Amino acid sequence: MVVVLVRYAVTVEYDGTNYSGWQRQLNALSVQQVLEDALSDFLKEKIVLHASGRTDRGVHAAGQVAHFDTDSAIPPHKIRFAVNSLLPEDVRIVDMKRVADDFHAQYDVIKKTYSYKMYVGNTLSPLRRLYYTRVLPPVDVEAMRRAAAELVGTHDFRAFCSTGSSAKTTVRTLYDVDLHVNGDEIILTVTGNGFLYNMVRIIAGTLVFVGKGKIPADSVKRMLLTGERKLGGKTFPACALTLEKVSYPDKE
Amino acid sequence: MVVVLVRYAVTVEYDGTNYSGWQRQLNALSVQQVLEDALSDFLKEKIVLHASGRTDRGVHAAGQVAHFDTDSAIPPHKIRFAVNSLLPEDVRIVDMKRVADDFHAQYDVIKKTYSYKMYVGNTLSPLRRLYYTRVLPPVDVEAMRRAAAELVGTHDFRAFCSTGSSAKTTVRTLYDVDLHVNGDEIILTVTGNGFLYNMVRIIAGTLVFVGKGKIPADSVKRMLLTGERKLGGKTFPACALTLEKVSYPDKE
């Protein structure tokens, strides 16, 4: 008997509030675990997911991508529907499609987009506490924009990386760093070919520290030149970070 | 000794997810209770709050208003700061100011604004599940807009009211009914001089049923003419409803 393995890529949205992060681990509930368990339950075989990358404890995703292989002949829209009904409300497969046998959700990534959501206010906002972080007023958004522009391009981002990163190189390319202001909200959106450990949260903290005048206006430039993490702002909270999108070549 | 009572109005933001509603009740946690308890704890006297009106189980507020009297001489910004630190993260006093002795948070209301948040999609959205309701595509937003326009003005809204309402009259005036589309989101905003029991949730359900062709395009007009609730759509879920703002005459 010949077993034909089929490779699928799933796009997954999750609320990271109640998870230890994407990656399966002992003694803590991960998104990978609940998703692998639901897929394995339905497909009646052990399913292993390979994601585009980890997300940390408390980080959300609107468009995480992962691939897996199965010998099931059930059509993907039926798998998606059935597995979603087995998942908790805070995790959903929003898209599922067959990909080439050599597609790899991590190695084939062209670029990723993250958002980081902030609001400016004196009082914590109960309705935004799970998905935003608060910035105390006043904050100079134009100063933040000027600093953000320095990040675009290919740089050694080692100053925007927490210790504990296993990356071989700290050179990355950022294609776009955008600050969108809507009322009292500031949405930072960063697109790049790859991200170091805590990179977006350090970018957010550094831009806000510049906007509040807590560090010099040219801090981003100096961090990129010297590689010194200590010239930047704080690593901002995880709950405001969302992996929005992962892009691949159109070889599917 | 003369005790001078001072009246304050507080503007309160809360995430209704984990509450039985605004109003204090036995055997269930209400927003009123946690707020009265925190105020009473800090002010060391029994504080009773009078709100602009109740919100139901699961309904949120960005701008609920309530008044209370106290003989405390502590400045309001200090009370607010201290009480906020005693409150759970899903309830916050966002504003507090002294009002006239005869100000009444319920009787003096001029108008209220509610939002009702929806997204159009085939899959439940984990990141929006707490504050939105889902509408299955397709939906004709222009048909919804035409039906919404019929609601504006002074009408007998008894067809837009669940049984169990204690209102003396079912005549209300709606000043504005707006549908704002942003990507896959539809935000309904309704401003009126008062609202019947479940009125906004029935408006939302009826507009969506019109937009999906489940009931005739002229259903709103016929409901207003006949007063028949059964001509409308479903009462939509509470979690997508937010009391955005309560307005008073400028007599404070």
Side-chain angles (χ1 to χ4, degrees):
Chain A
M1 188 181 130
V2 179
V3 175
V4 180
L5 281 182
V6 178
R7 184 160 289 190
Y8 287 108
V10 287
T11 303
V12 187
E13 178 175 335
Y14 49 86
D15 179 334
T17 307
N18 298 314
Y19 293 94
S20 61
W22 166 265
Q23 185 163 284
R24 187 185 270 270
Q25 54 185 274
L26 294 171
N27 306 320
L29 191 67
S30 64
V31 178
Q32 183 180 13
Q33 182 187 329
V34 301
L35 204 50
E36 284 180 349
D37 288 356
L39 283 161
S40 301
D41 270 8
F42 178 69
L43 296 170
K44 295 182 177 46
E45 58 178 312
K46 184 171 164 53
I47 298 295
V48 177
L49 287 166
H50 301 268
S52 72
R54 310 176 188 185
T55 54
D56 283 339
R57 173 183 297 277
V59 174
H60 315 291
Q64 170 71 292
V65 175
H67 78 258
F68 68 93
D69 295 326
T70 175
D71 56 19
S72 170
I74 302 171
H77 70 277
K78 291 198 178 168
I79 296 175
R80 179 162 82 89
F81 187 83
V83 170
N84 276 340
S85 72
L86 296 174
L87 286 168
E89 275 196 337
D90 50 8
V91 180
R92 279 292 178 282
I93 299 174
V94 295
D95 189 48
M96 176 166 170
K97 57 184 169 190
R98 188 171 177 173
V99 289
D101 293 351
D102 64 345
F103 173 86
H104 196 289
Q106 182 181 355
Y107 304 144
D108 292 357
V109 171
I110 295 177
K111 58 183 183 180
K112 290 185 182 181
T113 298
Y114 283 92
S115 70
Y116 195 89
K117 293 180 178 160
M118 299 169 272
Y119 64 92
V120 182
N122 282 304
T123 311
L124 282 172
S125 168
L127 289 169
R128 290 181 285 191
R129 75 194 190 287
L130 300 175
Y131 308 111
Y132 289 75
T133 200
R134 180 179 58 139
V135 174
L136 281 168
V139 59
D140 180 346
V141 176
E142 288 313 313
M144 291 175 69
R145 286 214 167 96
R146 286 189 293 273
E150 299 281 351
L151 292 162
V152 177
T154 302
H155 305 284
D156 184 338
F157 283 99
R158 72 180 190 277
F160 293 88
C161 175
S162 291
T163 52
S165 172
S166 58
K168 283 171 205 154
T169 163
T170 48
V171 174
R172 295 289 184 278
T173 300
L174 293 188
Y175 304 112
D176 192 46
V177 183
D178 179 65
L179 286 168
H180 177 73
V181 176
N182 183 17
D184 63 351
E185 296 186 358
I186 303 173
I187 314 298
L188 167 68
T189 307
V190 186
T191 300
N193 67 348
F195 291 87
L196 302 168
Y197 186 48
N198 282 344
M199 182 165 154
V200 180
R201 294 164 58 187
I202 296 171
I203 288 174
T206 299
L207 295 181
V208 169
F209 270 44
V210 166
K212 294 187 65 62
K214 288 186 176 184
I215 55 175
D218 64 350
S219 295
V220 166
K221 191 180 284 186
R222 290 167 63 220
M223 289 168 77
L224 293 173
L225 273 172
T226 64
E228 295 211 39
R229 169 69 187 91
K230 70 176 194 288
L231 298 177
K234 276 204 292 195
T235 303
F236 262 26
C239 74
L241 182 63
T242 302
L243 173 55
E244 295 285 348
K245 192 179 174 182
V246 186
S247 301
Y248 298 93
D250 277 323
K251 67 170 183 183
E252 293 135 25
Chain B
M1 186 183 134
V2 178
V3 174
V4 180
L5 281 181
V6 177
R7 182 160 290 189
Y8 286 108
V10 287
T11 303
V12 187
E13 178 175 334
Y14 50 87
D15 180 334
T17 307
N18 298 315
Y19 294 94
S20 61
W22 166 266
Q23 184 162 283
R24 187 186 269 271
Q25 54 186 275
L26 294 172
N27 307 320
L29 192 67
S30 64
V31 178
Q32 183 179 14
Q33 182 186 330
V34 301
L35 203 49
E36 283 180 348
D37 288 356
L39 282 162
S40 301
D41 269 9
F42 178 70
L43 295 170
K44 296 184 175 47
E45 58 179 312
K46 184 172 165 48
I47 298 296
V48 178
L49 287 166
H50 301 269
S52 71
R54 310 176 189 182
T55 54
D56 284 340
R57 172 184 297 277
V59 173
H60 315 290
Q64 170 70 292
V65 176
H67 78 258
F68 68 93
D69 296 325
T70 176
D71 56 20
S72 170
I74 302 172
H77 70 276
K78 291 199 176 167
I79 297 176
R80 180 162 83 88
F81 187 83
V83 170
N84 275 339
S85 72
L86 296 174
L87 285 167
E89 275 196 337
D90 50 8
V91 180
R92 279 294 179 280
I93 299 174
V94 294
D95 190 48
M96 177 167 170
K97 56 185 167 188
R98 188 170 178 175
V99 289
D101 293 350
D102 64 345
F103 172 86
H104 196 288
Q106 182 181 357
Y107 305 144
D108 293 356
V109 171
I110 295 177
K111 59 183 183 180
K112 290 185 181 181
T113 299
Y114 283 93
S115 69
Y116 195 88
K117 293 180 178 160
M118 299 168 274
Y119 65 91
V120 182
N122 282 305
T123 311
L124 283 172
S125 167
L127 288 169
R128 291 182 285 192
R129 75 194 191 287
L130 299 175
Y131 309 111
Y132 289 75
T133 199
R134 180 181 58 140
V135 174
L136 282 168
V139 59
D140 179 347
V141 176
E142 288 313 312
M144 291 176 68
R145 285 213 168 98
R146 286 190 293 272
E150 300 281 351
L151 292 162
V152 176
T154 302
H155 305 285
D156 185 337
F157 282 98
R158 70 181 191 279
F160 294 87
C161 175
S162 293
T163 52
S165 170
S166 58
K168 285 171 201 150
T169 164
T170 47
V171 174
R172 295 289 185 279
T173 300
L174 294 188
Y175 304 112
D176 192 46
V177 182
D178 179 66
L179 286 168
H180 178 72
V181 177
N182 184 15
D184 63 351
E185 298 187 356
I186 303 174
I187 314 298
L188 167 68
T189 308
V190 186
T191 300
N193 67 349
F195 290 87
L196 303 168
Y197 185 47
N198 281 346
M199 183 164 155
V200 180
R201 292 164 59 186
I202 297 171
I203 288 175
T206 299
L207 295 181
V208 169
F209 270 44
V210 165
K212 293 188 66 61
K214 289 186 175 184
I215 56 175
D218 64 350
S219 295
V220 166
K221 192 181 282 186
R222 291 166 65 218
M223 290 169 78
L224 293 173
L225 272 171
T226 63
E228 296 211 41
R229 169 70 186 89
K230 69 177 193 290
L231 299 177
K234 277 204 292 193
T235 303
F236 263 25
C239 74
L241 182 63
T242 302
L243 172 57
E244 294 285 348
K245 191 178 174 186
V246 186
S247 300
Y248 298 94
D250 277 322
K251 67 171 182 182
E252 293 134 27

